[in-house]
Amino acid sequence: MTMTIQDLAAKYDLRLPRYTSYPTAPHFSPAVGPDTYKQWLGELDPATPLSLYTHIAYCEEMCWFCGCHTKITKRYDPIADYLDAVLTEIDMIADLLPTRMGFKFMHFGGGSPTVLKAEDFSRLIRHLRSRFEMLDGAEIAVEMDPRTATEDYVKAMADVGVTRASIGVQDFEAEVQEAVHRVQPYEMVAQVVDWLRKHGITDINMDLMYGLPFQTTASIEKTIDRALALGPRRVSYFGYAHVPWMRTHMKMIPEQALPSVTERWSQYLNGSARFVHNGYVAVGLDHFAAPDDELALALNNQALNRNFQGYTTDTAPALIPFGASGIGSLPQGYVGNQGEIGAYKRTVRAGTPPITRGLAVSHEDKLRRAIIERLMCDLSVDLETVAAEYGASASDFEAELAQLSDLEADGVVIRDGARLRVTDMGRPLVRAVCAKFDQYLNVGEKRHSQAV
């Protein structure tokens, strides 16, 4: 019997990792702490290009769909104090490196970086650029909340070399915005886009979400059309992860207004088709890019990567985090900063790297990470080729391949010897394919989000 989309939705509505890393963050432990991080930093090859991530852990209002680490404040004093701690951490980590190293990517997320005053944002970037060399062609990207962005802030971004802006849109329907406590009219977003282009920042990303309360397939298609009319270079199209047991503010979301599993799939599939119909290239699970954008070009060249920011052209071997809850990746493993802001500031000011958890990756972890990354990025993998790079063989994965039988029978994945290819119909379930290679996974744990 041929499986329909509805059948697949019912059968594979599993809770699975997003695989922005492998092993995934829930498996980090206190076994990796400040001393290990110091050692790993000191062992980096001075010629290694870096990726830098700075987490601004504050917002003026809480969006009820938010799964990020953030704190709400209407006062600026706590934000200014936090920024001082981040600057202190930057100096500390830079001093632990073997030399003044260069960066290819610099990303600012949150929370909301736009809660900073324009002059403080400029000070932050100038400080980073004083401690790290900006390599040729480097990208500096900033996440923006249209509700707190100003033209002065945009001008400051341009003046210090920002090359890409990512605007949080989510949805343009008033009923949906009110239900998730993020009211930002279309005109507000359009104004921010105009400011960015006026000041020369033309690489513009937008974040949209499906699966929100009161959304329908028709309404999300309308939102997509309005977003694309503003001409973004890239769009991320994320499914809302309703995890009120992890984020208590999500209890404010009216659960009865959330779409059913079947409707959620419809929103994903029809929305994705809408992007492609408008000339965008589907990138992996949930990103879309203009055909001449670097992300689409990387996909075509099988050079696409995936990290904690999602799909990326970032190939830096080391991602260095700054700020509370920041997560980093080094050749030796993963590190995670203290999440509680007060403890983060105290630790930094005591002269200690604020690492509270992490994971040293084994040779086996690296092999499985490579397999999962190719599946997530290319929707295909040649197990023999990838395994050979790690001194292994495709025959080492006979058990995993046997576990794919249901997904094969249902038309989600096609197997040709040691080659796997996720079908067009199976694209929404690529994480279910990846999960077969995940040695750490306990399928169904509530700490993960829905597969679609």
Side-chain angles (χ1 to χ4, degrees), residues 23-34 36-37 40 327-328 332-337 355-361:
T24 56
H27 303 291
F28 296 1
S29 80
V32 171
T36 303
Y37 188 39
W40 288 356
I327 299 178
Q332 306 94 323
Y334 299 106
V335 293
N337 275 359
I355 302 300
T356 59
R357 65 202 190 284
L359 188 147
V361 291

Side-chain angles (χ1 to χ4, degrees), residues 99-323:
T99 187
R100 180 172 180 260
M101 297 177 68
F103 70 89
K104 286 289 289 184
F105 289 83
M106 182 185 288
H107 190 99
F108 297 86
S112 176
T114 47
V115 300
L116 292 173
K117 292 180 179 178
E119 58 267 29
D120 280 342
F121 178 76
S122 297
R123 181 160 64 105
L124 172 58
I125 288 199
R126 289 196 176 100
H127 193 74
L128 280 162
R129 291 183 60 174
S130 74
R131 300 308 311 260
F132 299 90
E133 180 186 357
M134 185 170 175
L135 301 175
D136 289 345
E139 176 175 290
I140 302 178
V142 181
E143 295 177 12
M144 301 184 70
D145 182 341
R147 299 170 300 170
T148 52
T150 64
E151 185 171 7
D152 283 347
Y153 189 94
V154 171
K155 185 177 184 304
M157 288 168 56
D159 288 346
V160 292
V162 170
T163 59
R164 184 176 296 277
S166 184
I167 303 173
V169 173
Q170 324 314 341
D171 191 283
F172 282 122
E173 295 294 313
E175 183 180 31
V176 177
Q177 290 186 357
E178 289 167 5
V180 299
H181 200 233
R182 187 184 178 105
V183 176
Q184 50 183 49
Y186 177 85
E187 293 74 19
M188 179 183 289
V189 176
Q191 177 66 83
V192 174
V193 171
D194 286 345
W195 287 335
L196 288 165
R197 292 201 170 110
K198 173 183 174 181
H199 292 284
I201 301 174
T202 56
D203 285 335
I204 298 171
N205 302 359
M206 287 188 182
D207 297 334
L208 302 181
M209 294 185 79
Y210 64 91
L212 293 172
F214 299 110
Q215 277 183 331
T216 64
T217 300
S219 75
I220 195 66
E221 287 180 344
K222 182 180 175 183
T223 281
I224 289 170
D225 289 346
R226 299 184 81 185
L228 296 188
L230 296 173
R233 298 284 292 160
R234 301 176 188 173
V235 181
S236 60
Y237 189 47
F238 297 131
Y240 166 58
H242 189 60
V243 287
W245 53 88
M246 292 176 63
R247 298 284 187 263
T248 56
H249 55 264
M250 289 184 178
K251 294 177 181 178
M252 303 297 292
I253 297 272
E255 290 194 356
Q256 72 280 6
L258 291 172
S260 66
V261 171
T262 303
E263 170 62 21
R264 185 181 170 98
W265 271 64
S266 175
Q267 291 175 16
Y268 171 82
L269 293 170
N270 285 273
S272 298
R274 200 85 168 180
F275 292 114
V276 174
H277 176 75
N278 280 276
Y280 285 74
V281 175
V283 178
L285 174 65
D286 48 21
H287 282 48
F288 299 85
D292 59 344
D293 183 84
E294 289 180 356
L295 201 66
L297 299 177
L299 174 69
N300 291 337
N301 295 328
Q302 293 189 309
L304 189 65
N305 288 284
R306 190 160 172 82
N307 65 15
F308 298 111
Q309 279 77 58
Y311 290 105
T312 179
T313 58
D314 186 351
T315 57
L319 168 63
I320 308 297
F322 302 111

Side-chain angles (χ1 to χ4, degrees), residues 57-68:
Y58 282 93
C59 293
E60 286 190 1
E61 292 183 324
M62 177 63 76
C63 303
W64 293 337
F65 60 78
C66 182
C68 301

